[in-house]
């Protein structure tokens, strides 16, 4: 591990060779052999060790400005003779550092625990013909590992042997790429059954993170005939994947530990900072300036006052010789530091730990919410990052995937088109597009298409796929559900009895839907055995085809093909793919018969695929076969060479027909999207699907309305003019900008549909190819201009649809909006591995626990079972979290200003002698004990508006948008309130002390009594103010509010009622008890508390709504007031 890191630091990553050589099996004794060094199989995701935890954690914590500041203050108190004890700042700092360290240490301990579970997992290794059980971390590169069904692969293995006769195995990679469907992997050909005698050399590329790429070759040493076999992704079993539907396999380890593809794909999520944290830092700088100003004022006035005769050295306080010899400027600097220490409590260091606890504990309310529980998957919501809870209440842009997010990703075969004739399975007789169609199996209906073409089309559906048949098991349906098998229980009378209990396994639900569709029309795929595909036709005859080659699907080609040999010796290529990929490769006259159906199906929201075939001559096949074999053996540029062969053989095909598969909308998808728009959020749909399908989904989700004018910027619109594409792009951008931005009414620009009163609603559509032109124009200035026009158009549209998007383009769009003017808060939501990039890019990433596995969930900040849960997550939880933490932050600054202002004013009456107003115990415990728990309970439990009201009235979300409660206006209001209370506390008590005799015996109160009275009024006022602000009372609120006040009284009696042996000065001995013996002290305490809270009480009385119908209106108006006034009160009926 250390060697690998050193290599990376020293540039070894760049200098290393492009391939690695791995020796499998025993080498002969006379052969010189030095085993190459590779990393071990340990996985390390933890951050700390026992030895580096303390220094590393302390270093990270003191990088935070507030912690570092208090450390400096503490050191100043230790070194310099300051008026307060080092304990007053050291204890709160120690408390904050300790709590944070415990939290981070616990989280890292959990990571260590998870690592140990993986590293200590027992595995079976074949050594010297024996099966040896080892810990996973002891596997070395070159070891032959045995894995049984339902076990996870401990490292990246090349498949050597399988228990299945055809040399295949089934794997699920949900933990890697998010795809929960089964994938088929193949053994390396020509491997003997006896692995003990195997002697081979594997040459493969160095470790790299691409899950779908693996290039290598295997030299099999045989005495008679040494052979070389190509290795590709189909031979590589990845760490983290799980073996399914196969009893056991054996494979050789090629990548281990932190060099496995899973480890290389693990990237620590970049630290996301919320808008609240940025506001805290800004407010902190303001209070730091106030602190420095106070210290400068007091230092200056001290030396001005001491410049008067007799003031610098009065007769009762003569200077020592040491003081006389001290440098004047050094003494002035020391005094400045002393004042800084005296006033340093205006900076609320304990606020950070309170915020951390509020976020950590508050996140459990999302996890515990029963409305987020989904009975289908028996799971609820998941919180991966508690630091962004309040950001859920600030979202301005929502970027959503389509398939699996807006839709269910549950494919159902709907209809097909053969030679231009429609075959609809579900509907009764109808007349569509002028063609008479009927439901039912093809062979029972007299259609215009030739029967041979019908059968050719159905054979193509049965052969052109990577579907595997799962045989029935004793466990029956229960195991089928566990293995996530699709396709059981197809309509009885159309399925042959033998096939009724068979299930299908595929990497894509589309493929299963098409195979099931062929079954409905009498052609049943029976499975693949030893490279032979079997089909049961309508006449119950079994047809066999030799599978020669599979040209796998990839997102660039957007198609896949198979080459098969029939029993008669004909070699056929069957191809299926997107219309944009198939149409250019077939004859134009065939396209026109199919295009109309494809476009109509796409408009109806169906997913469409086109099917074509080609009869290969012996020469064409020989050329393709040689090209494919040669390309698969090379180590460099294998993908490019394979692509060239694929493109060469997939030309001149004949178009047979097209299919339509339906993907239904998610439950309550339309209502959720409508609520988000009503809350003021802009919704953008980013999908890889074709435009027509995605547009139909947007209409179904109510993102586009009937009166929405669509502005389309796609390849199709760019080709409609005679000009060059780039000129046409600029022309359209100018035209759309004029229409959507320049000509829009002033109140309409930048506002969504839900509260626009007049004007035209616009929707914007762009595809991936056009987006590339916008983002990557020929010149940088042009690209920047295009991007600005594009952004302004999109920001003035109610919804935006981006279709044909690559995963990287999704992230680019999110980044572009995130960095635009105003830095709006963005949220991305998706369910698949292709959504991970945009989930990581957005301020808040939401993963959906869908059918495409858990890659999106693992990389998200929050995970929810269904799209409909997003509504409550944002409108209720997000709203409440933001209001709570905003109040917490403002309240902390306010109560610390109330605390320190009397201390500052006291200096004007004590000759700027740095005399503290409060006892050291009060200074230390004010933020830790006396006032911390009530605000923590408030920030966890407060519901200023009921959850039902928040969900019913989405417009309430807009009232807290753009960080409304943490702007400078509300901050100034809270600061002025703190100044008012501080002045009232100090001068109110000073008025009391103008009477010399405050006790029955004629004795007077001293300076510690003065400070104690001020402190008592302070604690009661700030606590009761929070009680007045509380609208949602629970027993916890009552306990912490009244309990904190009771604890203060008890502590004051206890602290002053005992002579403590460890204290040199007992400043508060019986001061508190003596103070309460004075009626005047009682009177002034009660009077000043009431005067301080009078504005709060009046606001509660006069703002209370008079009837049930005024509740909602009252809440909205009061929430607007809360932006500018810290005393925001809401109806107590909630």
């Amino acid at each position: 591990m250390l060697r690998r890191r050193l290599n990376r630091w020293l540039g070894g990553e760049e200098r290393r060779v492009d391939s690695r050589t791995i020796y499998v099996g025993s080498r002969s004794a006379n052969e010189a052999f030095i085993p190459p060094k590779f990393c071990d199989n340990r996985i390390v995701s933890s951050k700390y060790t026992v030895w580096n935890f303390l220094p590393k954690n302390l270093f990270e914590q003191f990088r935070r400005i507030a912690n570092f500041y208090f450390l400096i203050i503490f050191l100043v108190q230790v070194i310099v003779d300051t008026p307060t004890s080092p304990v007053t700042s050291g204890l709160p700092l120690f408390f904050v550092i300790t709590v944070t360290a415990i939290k981070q240490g616990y989280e890292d301990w959990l990571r260590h625990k998870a690592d140990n579970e993986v590293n200590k997992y027992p595995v079976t290794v074949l050594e010297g013909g024996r099966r040896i059980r080892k810990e996973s971390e002891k596997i070395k590169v070159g070891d032959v590992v045995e894995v049984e069904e339902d076990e996870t692969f401990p490292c990246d293995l090349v498949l050597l042997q399988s228990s299945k006769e055809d040399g295949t195995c089934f794997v699920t990679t949900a933990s890697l790429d998010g795809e929960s469907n089964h994938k088929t992997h193949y053994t390396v050909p020509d491997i003997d059954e006896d692995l003990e005698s195997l002697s081979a050399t594997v040459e493969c590329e160095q470790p790299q993170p691409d899950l779908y790429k693996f290039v290598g070759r295997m030299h099999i040493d045989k005495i008679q005939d040494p052979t070389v076999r190509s290795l590709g992704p189909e031979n590589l079993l990845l760490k983290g994947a799980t073996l399914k539907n196969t009893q056991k396999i054996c494979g050789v380890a090629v990548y281990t530990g932190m060099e496995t593809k899973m480890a290389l794909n693990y990237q620590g999520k970049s630290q996301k900072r919320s808008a609240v944290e940025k506001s805290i830092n800004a407010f902190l700088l303001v209070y730091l300036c106030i602190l420095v100003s106070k210290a400068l004022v007091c230092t200056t006035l001290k030396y001005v006052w001491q410049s008067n005769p007799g003031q610098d050295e009065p007769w009762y306080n003569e200077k020592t010789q040491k003081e006389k010899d001290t440098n004047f400027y050094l003494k002035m600097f020391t005094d400045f530091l002393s004042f800084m220490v005296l006033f340093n409590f205006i900076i609320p260091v304990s606020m950070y730990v309170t915020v951390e606890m509020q976020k950590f504990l508050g996140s459990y309310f999302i996890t515990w919410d029963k409305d987020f529980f989904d009975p289908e998957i028996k799971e609820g919501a998941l919180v991966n990052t508690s630091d962004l809870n309040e950001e859920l209440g600030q979202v301005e842009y929502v970027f959503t995937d389509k398939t699996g997010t807006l839709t269910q990703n549950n494919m159902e075969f709907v209809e097909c088109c053969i030679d231009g004739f429609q075959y609809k399975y579900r509907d009764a007789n109808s007349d569509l597009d002028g063609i008479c169609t009927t439901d039912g199996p093809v062979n029972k209906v007299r259609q215009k298409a030739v029967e041979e073409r019908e059968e050719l089309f159905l054979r193509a559906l049965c052969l052109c796929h990577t579907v595997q048949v799962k045989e029935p098991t004793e466990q029956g349906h229960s195991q089928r559900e566990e293995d996530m098998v699709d396709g059981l229980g197809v309509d009885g009378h159309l399925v042959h009895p033998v096939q009724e209990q068979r299930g299908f396994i595929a990497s894509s639900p589309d493929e299963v839907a098409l195979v099931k569709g062929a079954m409905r029309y009498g052609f049943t795929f029976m499975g693949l055995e030893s490279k032979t595909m079997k089909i049961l036709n309508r006449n119950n005859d079994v047809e066999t085809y030799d599978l020669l080659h599979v040209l796998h699907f990839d997102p660039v080609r957007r198609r896949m093909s198979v080459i098969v040999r029939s029993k008669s010796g004909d070699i056929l290529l069957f191809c299926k793919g997107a219309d944009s990929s198939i149409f250019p490769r077939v004859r134009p006259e065939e396209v026109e018969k199919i295009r109309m159906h494809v476009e109509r199906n796409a408009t109806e929201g169906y997913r469409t695929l086109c099917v074509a075939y080609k009869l290969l001559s012996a020469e064409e096949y020989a050329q393709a076969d040689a090209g494919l074999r040669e390309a698969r053996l090379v180590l460099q540029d294998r993908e490019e060479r394979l692509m060239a062969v694929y493109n060469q053989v997939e030309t001149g095909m004949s178009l047979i027909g097209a299919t339509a598969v339906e993907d239904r909308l998610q439950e309550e998808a339309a209502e959720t999207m409508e609520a988000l728009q009503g809350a003021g959020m802009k919704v953008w749909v980013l999908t890889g699907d074709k435009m027509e399908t995605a547009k139909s989904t947007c209409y179904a989700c109510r993102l586009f309305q009937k009166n929405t004018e669509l502005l389309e910027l796609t390849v199709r619109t760019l080709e409609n003019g005679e000009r060059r594409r780039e000129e046409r792009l600029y022309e359209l951008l100018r035209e759309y900008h004029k229409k959507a931005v320049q000509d829009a009414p002033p109140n309409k620009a930048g506002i969504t549909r839900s509260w626009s009163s007049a004007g035209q609603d616009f929707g914007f559509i762009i595809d991936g190819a056009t987006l590339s032109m916008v983002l990557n124009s020929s010149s940088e200035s042009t690209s920047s201009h295009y991007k600005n026009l594009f952004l302004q158009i999109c920001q003035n549209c109610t919804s935006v649809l981006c279709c044909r998007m690559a995963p990287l383009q999704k992230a680019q769009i999110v980044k572009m909006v995130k960095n635009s003017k105003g830095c709006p808060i963005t949220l991305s939501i998706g369910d698949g591995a292709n959504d991970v990039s945009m989930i990581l890019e957005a301020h808040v990433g939401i993963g959906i626990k869908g059918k495409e596995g858990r890659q999106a969930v693992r990389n998200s900040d929050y995970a929810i079972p269904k799209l409909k849960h997003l509504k409550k997550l944002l409108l209720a939880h997000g709203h409440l979290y933001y209001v709570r933490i905003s109040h917490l932050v403002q309240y902390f600054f306010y109560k610390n200003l109330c605390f320190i202002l009397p201390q500052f004013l006291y200096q004007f009456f004590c000759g700027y002698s740095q005399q503290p107003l409060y006892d050291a115990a009060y200074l230390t415990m004010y933020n830790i004990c006396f006032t911390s728990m009530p605000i923590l309970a408030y920030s966890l439990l407060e519901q200023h508006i009921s959850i039902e009201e928040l969900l019913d009235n989405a417009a309430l979300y807009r009232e807290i948008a753009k960080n409304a409660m943490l702007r400078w206006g509300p901050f100034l209001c809270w600061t002025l309130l703190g100044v008012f209370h501080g002045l009232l506390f100090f001068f109110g008590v000073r008025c009391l002390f103008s009477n010399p005799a405050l006790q029955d015996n004629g004795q007077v109160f001293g300076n510690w009594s003065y400070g104690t009275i001020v402190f008592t009024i302070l604690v009661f006022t700030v606590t009761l103010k929070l009680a007045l602000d509380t609208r949602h009372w629970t027993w916890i609120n009552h306990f912490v509010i009244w309990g904190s006040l009771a604890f203060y009284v008890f502590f004051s009696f206890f602290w002053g009622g005992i002579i403590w042996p460890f204290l040199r000065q007992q400043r508060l001995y019986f001061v508190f008890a003596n103070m309460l013996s004075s009626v005047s002290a009682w009177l002034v305490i009660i009077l000043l508390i009431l005067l301080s809270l009078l504005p709060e009480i009046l606001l509660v009385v006069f703002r209370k709504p008079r009837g049930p119908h005024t509740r909602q209106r009252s809440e909205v108006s009061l929430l607007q007031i809360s932006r500018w006034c810290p005393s925001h009160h809401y109806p107590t009926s909630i």
Side-chain angles (χ1 to χ4, degrees), residues 322-600:
K322 183 180 179 182
E323 288 175 328
K324 291 178 180 178
D325 295 340
T326 304
N327 182 278
F328 175 77
Y329 294 104
L330 179 62
K331 181 72 172 72
M332 186 180 288
F333 179 69
T334 306
D335 283 333
F336 172 76
L337 290 180
S338 297
F339 280 118
M340 286 281 289
V341 168
L342 189 64
F343 302 144
N344 81 85
F345 289 93
I346 197 173
I347 306 295
V349 66
S350 59
M351 179 181 67
Y352 282 96
V353 74
T354 308
V355 167
E356 289 283 336
M357 291 172 67
Q358 190 268 350
K359 290 182 176 183
F360 177 70
L361 297 174
S363 64
Y364 282 100
F365 288 103
I366 295 177
T367 309
W368 293 335
D369 195 328
K370 293 180 180 178
D371 290 342
F372 290 156
F373 183 79
D374 183 42
E376 187 179 336
I377 61 173
K378 297 182 179 177
E379 289 184 40
L382 176 69
V383 178
N384 293 325
T385 306
S386 61
D387 292 339
L388 302 171
N389 293 343
E390 65 276 7
E391 210 80 328
L392 296 170
Q394 294 294 294
V395 175
E396 297 173 62
Y397 284 84
V398 175
F399 300 93
T400 174
D401 178 41
K402 186 185 80 70
T403 306
T405 305
L406 293 177
T407 61
Q408 296 178 7
N409 200 15
N410 186 15
M411 309 301 176
E412 182 183 350
F413 183 87
V414 175
E415 63 179 69
C416 60
C417 168
I418 306 172
D419 274 353
F421 300 105
Q422 182 190 11
Y423 295 80
K424 199 171 184 67
Y425 176 74
R426 296 185 305 180
D427 294 346
N429 291 354
S430 61
D431 192 343
L432 293 174
D433 295 335
I435 301 167
C436 182
T437 61
T438 333
D439 66 339
V442 176
N443 62 328
K444 296 183 181 179
V445 181
R446 289 182 174 82
Q447 297 287 352
K448 296 177 183 177
V450 180
E451 187 174 349
E452 290 178 3
R453 299 285 286 183
E454 294 172 357
E455 294 188 352
L456 183 65
F457 176 82
L458 295 171
R459 286 189 182 94
L461 294 187
C462 285
L463 295 171
C464 188
H465 54 71
T466 56
V467 174
Q468 298 289 332
V469 174
K470 179 177 172 64
E471 299 293 341
T473 58
E474 294 179 7
Q475 287 86 354
H477 292 284
S478 62
Q479 180 162 339
R480 174 179 64 86
E481 290 171 3
E482 288 174 10
D483 290 348
M484 303 182 74
V485 175
D486 241 334
L488 292 181
V490 185
D491 302 287
H493 68 281
L494 292 176
V495 183
H496 297 277
V498 181
Q499 305 299 322
E500 280 185 6
Q501 295 303 317
R502 289 195 175 190
F504 295 120
I505 302 170
S507 58
S508 166
D510 296 69
E511 292 199 321
V512 172
L514 295 179
V515 172
K516 288 164 65 177
M519 286 178 66
R520 290 170 172 171
Y521 293 107
F523 273 72
T524 304
F525 174 61
M526 298 185 67
L528 174 68
E529 295 178 10
S530 302
K531 295 288 184 180
T532 301
M533 303 181 80
K534 294 182 179 180
I535 295 175
L536 193 65
N537 63 22
R538 306 172 173 164
N539 302 321
N540 285 344
D541 295 330
V542 176
E543 300 178 6
T544 58
Y545 295 85
D546 296 329
L547 180 60
L548 303 176
H549 289 285
V550 178
L551 315 186
H552 290 282
F553 175 87
D554 66 72
V556 179
R557 286 166 56 239
R558 297 184 66 82
R559 60 183 182 276
M560 68 90 61
S561 302
V562 294
I563 301 177
V564 297
R565 181 187 287 116
S566 68
K567 215 169 185 178
S568 60
D570 293 333
I571 298 176
L572 298 163
L573 177 139
F574 290 107
C575 180
K576 72 177 180 194
D579 55 317
S580 58
S581 175
I582 298 290
F583 285 169
R585 299 181 171 274
V586 298
R587 291 190 288 274
E589 60 271 16
E590 295 175 333
V591 172
E592 294 308 316
K593 294 188 292 183
I594 305 294
R595 186 192 299 275
M596 176 175 57
H597 293 273
V598 171
E599 290 179 354
R600 179 180 55 79

Side-chain angles (χ1 to χ4, degrees), residues 683-949:
V683 181
W684 292 31
V685 179
L686 312 182
T687 177
D689 271 1
K690 60 176 67 66
M691 186 188 76
E692 291 79 6
T693 309
K695 192 198 297 185
S696 167
T697 303
C698 287
Y699 275 112
C701 289
R702 301 177 198 163
L703 295 174
F704 293 160
Q705 305 280 357
K706 288 183 179 179
N707 63 338
T708 303
E709 182 179 345
L710 298 181
L711 310 177
E712 187 179 326
L713 195 65
T714 61
V715 173
R716 186 172 66 186
T717 55
L718 295 184
E719 291 175 348
N720 284 345
E722 297 178 358
R723 302 186 183 186
R724 288 173 51 245
R725 272 192 176 187
E726 192 156 331
E727 293 177 358
R728 177 67 175 156
L729 173 65
Y730 183 61
E731 180 188 325
L732 283 174
L733 282 172
R734 289 281 304 273
E735 178 188 333
Y736 294 160
H737 186 270
K738 184 176 185 303
K739 186 181 292 186
V741 182
Q742 297 174 10
D743 295 345
N747 65 334
K748 173 74 168 68
I751 298 179
T752 58
R753 173 193 311 123
S754 46
W755 68 93
S756 60
S757 56
Q760 175 66 49
D761 285 330
F762 294 103
F764 193 75
I765 301 175
I766 189 170
D767 61 10
T770 313
L771 181 68
S772 296
M773 293 177 65
V774 171
L775 299 180
N776 309 312
S777 185
S778 52
S779 67
E780 190 173 334
S781 59
T782 307
S783 177
S784 177
H785 184 53
Y786 285 178
K787 197 185 297 184
N788 288 334
L789 287 175
F790 169 69
L791 260 177
Q792 289 178 35
I793 294 167
C794 291
Q795 288 169 347
N796 283 274
C797 292
T798 54
S799 296
V800 177
L801 167 62
C802 304
C803 47
R804 300 291 197 190
M805 289 282 121
L808 185 61
Q809 286 181 313
K810 292 183 178 183
Q812 286 177 330
I813 286 212
V814 176
K815 186 176 182 180
M816 181 176 65
V817 174
K818 187 172 79 169
N819 296 332
S820 64
K821 185 180 179 182
C823 299
I825 305 299
T826 57
L827 178 146
S828 292
I829 180 168
D831 71 319
N834 60 331
D835 303 316
V836 168
S837 56
M838 74 172 183
I839 285 174
L840 291 175
E841 185 62 51
H843 291 96
V844 183
I846 309 285
I848 288 186
K849 301 178 178 181
K851 297 191 174 183
E852 293 189 27
R854 296 303 168 92
Q855 186 78 344
V857 170
R858 284 193 5 257
N859 287 277
S860 65
D861 302 308
Y862 302 89
I864 50 178
K866 294 282 177 63
L867 176 73
K868 66 178 182 179
H869 299 136
L870 184 64
K871 178 181 176 181
K872 185 174 184 182
L873 184 67
L874 299 184
L875 301 191
H877 286 285
H879 186 116
L880 293 174
Y881 281 134
Y882 176 75
V883 171
R884 290 165 181 168
I885 202 166
S886 299
H887 199 286
L888 183 151
V889 170
Q890 301 278 31
Y891 178 81
F892 251 99
F893 282 108
Y894 148 79
K895 74 184 180 71
N896 277 41
L897 183 59
C898 292
F899 181 40
I900 290 302
L901 185 59
Q903 176 73 75
F904 171 69
L905 296 171
Y906 188 58
Q907 297 308 303
F908 291 85
F909 298 89
C910 68
Y912 312 100
S913 60
Q914 299 150 14
Q915 167 69 33
L917 178 64
Y918 312 117
D919 183 67
Y922 286 161
L923 285 171
T924 305
M925 299 188 69
Y926 176 72
N927 279 318
I928 295 178
C929 300
F930 298 150
T931 60
S932 60
M933 293 308 294
I935 185 59
L936 179 61
Y938 177 95
S939 65
L940 289 171
L941 304 171
E942 175 62 0
Q943 290 183 26
H944 61 289
I945 303 176
S946 68
I947 290 179
E948 293 77 14
E949 188 68 35

